[in-house]
Structures are given as structure tokens and as C-alpha cells.
Amino acid sequence: MEKISSGEEVGGAGGAYSYSALKRLDQIWSSICEPKADSKVPEVVTRVPEMFADSDLGAGSEIFDVIVCGGTLGIFVATALSSKGLRVGIIERNIIKGREQEWNISRKELMEIVEIGILSEAELEQIISSDFNPNRCGFEGKGEIWVENILNLGISPAKLVETMKGRFIASGGAMFEGRSLSSIYVYDDCAVLKMSDGDSLSCRLVVDAMGNFSPIVRQIRSGRKPDGMCLVVGACARGFEKNTTSDVIFSSSAVNRAGNSGVQLFWEAFPAGSGPNDRTTYMFTYVDPKFGGPKLEELLEVFWNLMPAYQDVVLENLDIRRVIFGIFPTYRDSPLPAAIDRILQVGDASGIQSPVSFGGFGSLTRHLGRLSNGICEAVEGGFLDAHSLQLLNPYMPNLSASWLFQRAMSVRPQVNVSPTFINELLFANFQSMQKLGDSVLRPFLQDVIQFGPLVKTLGLVMLTRPQILPSIFKQVGLGVILDWSGHFLMLGFYTFLSTFIDPVTRSWIESLPPRDKYQWKRYLEAWRYGAGLDYRQGE
């Protein structure tokens, strides 16, 4: 890692490649695993029950409609809001810049940004650096499932973010780069953001896009330990002769050891756009922070040991371009409801991403239209109290139901199940989904859980592999399954509401007073997205 030119570090997950950054992240991960002392979480946000306009500080200062904190993914929300005519500012402690390492996504998901109107189809073609098919799912020699157009595009975050910056500035947005947020004071009429350099900015609404480790989220959650964690390591290297297909999820072995921990390891691999023989390989695992887990550095040692056999290459023949690593916490109570007036979390800070994915770009594209429309209505209508903002990050049963899958894919100490159980369970599920067809398999591979496909899959697994059920109860635990059953029933209820109640209430909702209309529109969105019915088949 010391020999590789790490380049400039940028914000967001996977934006740093140096050994010192790896060490820093391992320290954060170690602190998450430690038993919590009674350390007080720093208060970043303070509620001030008075009017800012009446104070000496409030005279003559410009008030933005929205200030977005965190620029790497926040630039998309900021651009969408600015294009709707709001006065938007964005604060980023570094330079707003996309990382070198590509993001992988499908064209269907990328088109959602085009449909919002902040990216043209011509610009979309410019940011695509690699395009490949087919895409493989496989589990420890049990069989392989091949699909088309799943995570099959590599796009350049650097080019995409630069395009967004240009669009944002052209629409009248203001950027405050190299500025760190120090504190926020929420008054009755606005929020005041204090910078570490002593300057301040005022706005009607703060959008927190500072990611998984947002200090505002830490305050809201009172520093609570995550329920799960996805650890990711990998590398982009040159020297792959076989480089035309991708792996969406692949497991080459049963439970392994990494450091002092037992882990089930999974792989992803994609051709990279930097050259015909360049390939990015990720190795990831799910762990429970309560039991700890390997350090990223220990996982990297395992990665270098196992990757040559997995990719059928000789390590010494590869030219390592960069090393990649990240940690992604997940909480069972996600998305995170707004807890403070005039402050809303989006993206990874809100926990809107699926607990089985790492990185929230795909979930951002899926929810960007819904969020930008809702935020615009909230600002224009003055619906900026915590209760009104909670409707923009509502309970979504499909997201809560998918948390069980992360739990099932985590190795848990003192649980007496076979080392091959996780692979057997996953293959049984994937095999069932393949038999049931694209309408079942494709939404799941794009992190969208739907009631009908889930019922069909579970039913087929129970019919064809009933012997696996006792191990599922041992692996996951009865309490978690009972909790999941409630979300499963709600998933069915939301599907019913969105399918049958939504169509007959829309005209009535249009006749309501503004605040009631705003609330009911959010309910309809919660039903639709919470049931996964925003996913359109046949694309």
C-alpha cells in the first residue's frame, strides 16, 4: 500500500486508499466493538426556543432554503432541489469530488437520475467507463446462476460528481468547500450552522448527507452500537486475461478464520474502465459488532491469500492499482426518523440503504425523486417540524424485512450450525428465485424486497428444502424471526394499501388543505416504496 500512489483522499465511503487511512478506519471499527463506557456523545445540535429574526445575530443575514451537509452524495440532492428553484447551499469539509474507484450500477438505476432532470442521456454515456455482461451468483461449488444487466455498468464518480457540480452552480447553488461543520442551532424560524472557522450560515432546512458516521446521527442515536456491520476490502488490479463478466455475489468456501473470528466471506468482481485487463475485486463479510470481528487489515491478509485462487491468477503477475476498504453499519430501526425540527437525514445517514448492500448510491438514485419532491413541498409549505419531516423517512417494511438476511449471512459464535450452512441457505434461495423467474430474482438482486416474490421464494424453499429450517432458527434466533414476521405481515399490508387504496384516494387527497395533502402524499409514497412497488419490471 505504501508503494501505490494513493492520490487525493475524497469524502464518502471508499474515498481513501492509503495505509494510514486503513489504520484510522480500523481504530473506528475497534471503538464500535468495545463495550460502551458512559462516555457522553458530543452535542452538535442545540434547540433554541426563540425566533432567530428577533435576535441581534439575525439582522440582515441571508437565509438559504436548504443547506446540505456532506458533498459526495449530497451534491445529487442539492442539485435536484436547486433545479426546482430552491436557494441551496452545500457544505463539504474536503473538496466536492468523486473517488477514483468506479461505482457499479445498472442502467435502469442510473436512468432514475436522468428522469429527475439533473443528468442528460448524453452526459450519462460520458460517465460510463465500463459495460459488461453476464453477471454471476454462485455458492461454494453448489451451482451458478447467471443474470444480465445487474450492476453491469462501471461509472466514474469523479466525472459524475463534476457534472453535478456544474449543474448545481448553473442552477444558482452555492458551494462551501473546505469548511467543517462545528454546530447547529435550531431556532423557531430557521437553523444556524456554525463553521469551525467561526463563520455561520442560516437556512430553513438542514439536509444531513454526512453518511454513516454523521455526528448528527450519532447524537440522535445517543452513540448506540450498530446492530450489524458489513466489512469490505478489495483491490483494483491490472493483469486479468479473463475479464468480460462480473460476479454480483460469489462464495468460494465455507466459514473461514480472519484474525480471531469466524467469518463467511463473499466476493464481488467487476471489469474496471481503466483498461481491458483491469478488474476490481471486493471481499466482504457481515458481522455482529456485539461479538466483534476481524480488523480490516486482517481481512486484507485473507484477501491476498484467497483472491488468486478465486480469480485464477498469480498475485505476482498483477499490477495493483489501488487497495479498497470500508465499514458499513446497519440498524434494525432504519430508516432513521427525523428527530429534530428543521433537520433531515438522507442517503447513508438516514439508513435508507439495504442492510445487505454496501454503499448507498443505488438506494440514493431510487429515492432521489421521492425525496427531492417531498423536501421541496416541505420547504415551500413550511412543514419543517420533526413530525412532518419524519414522513420523508418513513417506516419501510421491506427494508426492515431485509435486515434478517444480513443476520442469516453473519457467523455467530456458539451457534451450532454447519460451516457450510450459510452457503446452503443462500443457494437454496437463489435456486428457488431462478426457478420462479426474473420477476422474483431481479428485484432481489437490486435490493428491492417485494411481498409476492418473497412469499413465493420462502414457500418454494420450505417445500424443496424443509431440512434447512431448524438450522435457520438456530442461526438467526427465535426472537429475530418473530420480529421479522411482524415486518413480513406489514409488507403484505403495505402491498395491499398501495395496490388497492392508493388509486381510490388520490383525487380525494388533491382536495385537502396543504398540510393534510402533504401528509397523505407521504403516506402513499411510504406504502409504495415500503412495499418495493416503486421497482418497475421489464426494464
Side-chain angles (χ1 to χ4, degrees):
M1 290 180 75
E2 288 172 352
K3 290 176 185 173
I4 301 166
S5 172
S6 61
E8 186 180 353
E9 292 190 3
V10 299
Y17 313 110
S18 66
Y19 185 59
S20 59
L22 174 69
K23 286 286 193 186
R24 286 198 303 272
L25 201 54
D26 259 337
Q27 286 178 344
I28 293 170
W29 169 222
S30 296
S31 70
I32 290 171
C33 292
E34 288 169 3
K36 289 291 178 190
D38 292 330
S39 56
K40 191 165 166 37
V41 175
E43 285 215 353
V44 182
V45 183
T46 304
R47 185 72 172 89
V48 184
E50 60 184 63
M51 300 289 282
F52 181 65
D54 295 341
S55 67
D56 295 336
L57 299 168
S61 60
E62 180 187 9
I63 297 182
F64 287 86
D65 290 315
V66 178
I67 289 181
V68 178
C69 301
T72 306
L73 290 183
I75 189 69
F76 296 93
V77 178
T79 305
L81 294 174
S82 186
S83 70
K84 291 179 180 294
L86 297 183
R87 177 74 175 126
V88 184
I90 186 166
I91 299 169
E92 168 58 46
R93 64 181 176 183
N94 301 304
I95 300 299
I96 299 173
K97 182 180 177 182
R99 69 184 198 183
E100 291 178 61
Q101 185 58 43
E102 292 165 13
W103 286 331
N104 290 99
I105 196 166
S106 70
R107 185 175 293 271
K108 171 191 177 299
E109 291 167 306
L110 206 51
M111 281 300 294
E112 287 163 349
I113 306 179
V114 175
E115 288 167 13
I116 292 162
I118 59 173
L119 187 75
S120 69
E121 290 204 46
E123 288 168 330
L124 179 146
E125 297 302 330
Q126 299 265 315
I127 64 165
I128 295 173
S129 51
S130 55
D131 188 344
F132 41 85
N133 267 311
N135 326 110
R136 178 175 68 160
C137 308
F139 305 96
E140 199 192 351
K142 293 176 172 37
E144 295 176 353
I145 292 164
W146 291 85
V147 292
E148 297 268 340
N149 302 323
I150 299 292
L151 299 180
N152 66 303
L153 298 181
I155 63 166
S156 166
K159 287 182 183 176
L160 178 55
V161 171
E162 199 59 37
T163 301
M164 284 298 108
K165 282 176 73 172
R167 185 65 53 88
F168 179 63
I169 292 165
S171 64
M175 291 196 300
F176 302 93
E177 297 176 301
R179 311 285 287 277
S180 289
L181 177 68
S182 176
S183 57
I184 301 174
Y185 294 89
V186 178
Y187 290 81
D188 291 340
D189 54 344
C190 74
V192 179
L193 296 84
K194 302 283 186 183
M195 305 295 114
S196 53
D197 60 6
D199 281 357
S200 63
L201 296 167
S202 305
C203 64
R204 298 171 68 194
L205 175 69
V206 177
V207 171
D208 174 10
M210 291 186 283
N212 290 309
F213 299 102
S214 159
I216 303 174
V217 171
R218 190 161 176 246
Q219 178 179 335
I220 293 170
R221 293 196 184 275
S222 303
R224 181 165 70 80
K225 191 191 290 280
D227 296 306
M229 185 72 76
C230 180
L231 308 179
V232 185
V233 296
C236 181
R238 179 166 292 169
F240 291 87
E241 297 303 321
K242 304 170 188 171
N243 198 35
T244 57
T245 65
S246 74
D247 284 350
V248 175
I249 181 169
F250 192 86
S251 174
S252 57
S253 61
V255 171
N256 273 277
R257 299 297 296 179
N260 296 319
S261 305
V263 287
Q264 177 65 61
L265 301 172
F266 302 99
W267 300 91
E268 277 192 333
F270 306 100
S274 49
N277 301 120
D278 294 6
R279 191 168 180 84
T280 302
T281 307
Y282 299 98
M283 186 182 81
F284 60 100
T285 187
Y286 302 106
V287 297
D288 186 336
K290 185 167 60 181
F291 302 116
K295 291 185 175 180
L296 292 173
E297 191 167 352
E298 292 169 336
L299 265 186
L300 264 175
E301 294 295 337
V302 177
F303 173 84
W304 297 123
N305 288 336
L306 299 182
M307 192 269 278
Y310 157 59
Q311 291 280 275
D312 192 22
V313 290
V314 177
L315 198 57
E316 289 71 23
N317 294 344
L318 298 180
D319 174 15
I320 309 298
R321 317 291 288 176
R322 68 185 68 90
V323 177
I324 308 153
F325 45 86
I327 63 176
F328 300 89
T330 56
Y331 294 85
R332 289 166 72 172
D333 57 339
S334 287
L336 178 67
I340 308 164
D341 295 347
R342 299 185 180 274
I343 297 179
L344 175 73
Q345 277 67 40
V346 300
D348 288 2
S350 72
I352 200 73
Q353 72 276 21
S354 163
V356 293
S357 67
F358 49 89
F361 182 58
S363 67
L364 180 90
T365 63
R366 189 176 307 130
H367 292 276
L368 189 56
R370 175 184 72 81
L371 282 170
S372 56
N373 287 334
I375 290 170
C376 198
E377 286 181 36
V379 170
E380 289 174 348
F383 314 132
L384 300 173
D385 56 286
H387 174 71
S388 296
L389 295 177
Q390 281 175 8
L391 300 174
L392 291 166
N393 277 340
Y395 165 67
M396 293 188 181
N398 62 343
L399 202 62
S400 298
S402 66
W403 193 87
L404 178 79
F405 304 138
Q406 187 188 102
R407 180 67 171 257
M409 294 160 78
S410 306
V411 174
R412 299 177 63 74
Q414 291 90 45
V415 174
N416 184 26
V417 298
S418 163
T420 63
F421 164 72
I422 295 173
N423 280 328
E424 288 167 5
L425 175 64
L426 288 170
F427 182 65
N429 276 281
F430 272 77
Q431 195 175 40
S432 297
M433 287 190 287
Q434 185 187 37
K435 285 177 183 173
L436 292 164
D438 278 358
S439 64
V440 172
L441 181 60
R442 295 187 71 80
F444 182 82
L445 286 175
Q446 293 184 295
D447 272 343
V448 179
I449 305 299
Q450 297 174 320
F451 184 69
L454 185 57
V455 170
K456 291 176 186 175
T457 304
L458 294 176
L460 190 55
V461 169
M462 285 190 281
L463 283 172
T464 57
R465 301 287 298 276
Q467 69 275 17
I468 213 167
L469 295 178
S471 293
I472 293 175
F473 277 84
K474 280 187 197 172
Q475 168 76 3
V476 176
L478 181 60
V480 172
I481 288 180
L482 289 173
D483 180 59
W484 175 83
S485 299
H487 298 305
F488 174 72
L489 292 172
M490 289 302 291
L491 179 60
F493 184 50
Y494 272 42
T495 302
F496 168 79
L497 290 172
S498 187
T499 305
F500 298 106
I501 306 303
D502 178 326
V504 300
T505 56
R506 283 193 175 268
S507 57
W508 168 71
I509 287 168
E510 289 301 318
S511 67
L512 294 173
R515 182 176 284 275
D516 293 337
K517 183 177 175 180
Y518 165 83
Q519 290 183 346
W520 271 97
K521 284 175 79 171
R522 304 292 80 81
Y523 295 150
L524 298 189
E525 289 169 354
W527 298 346
R528 183 168 168 242
Y529 282 79
L533 297 178
D534 58 297
Y535 183 92
R536 298 191 293 264
Q537 295 284 357
E539 295 182 15

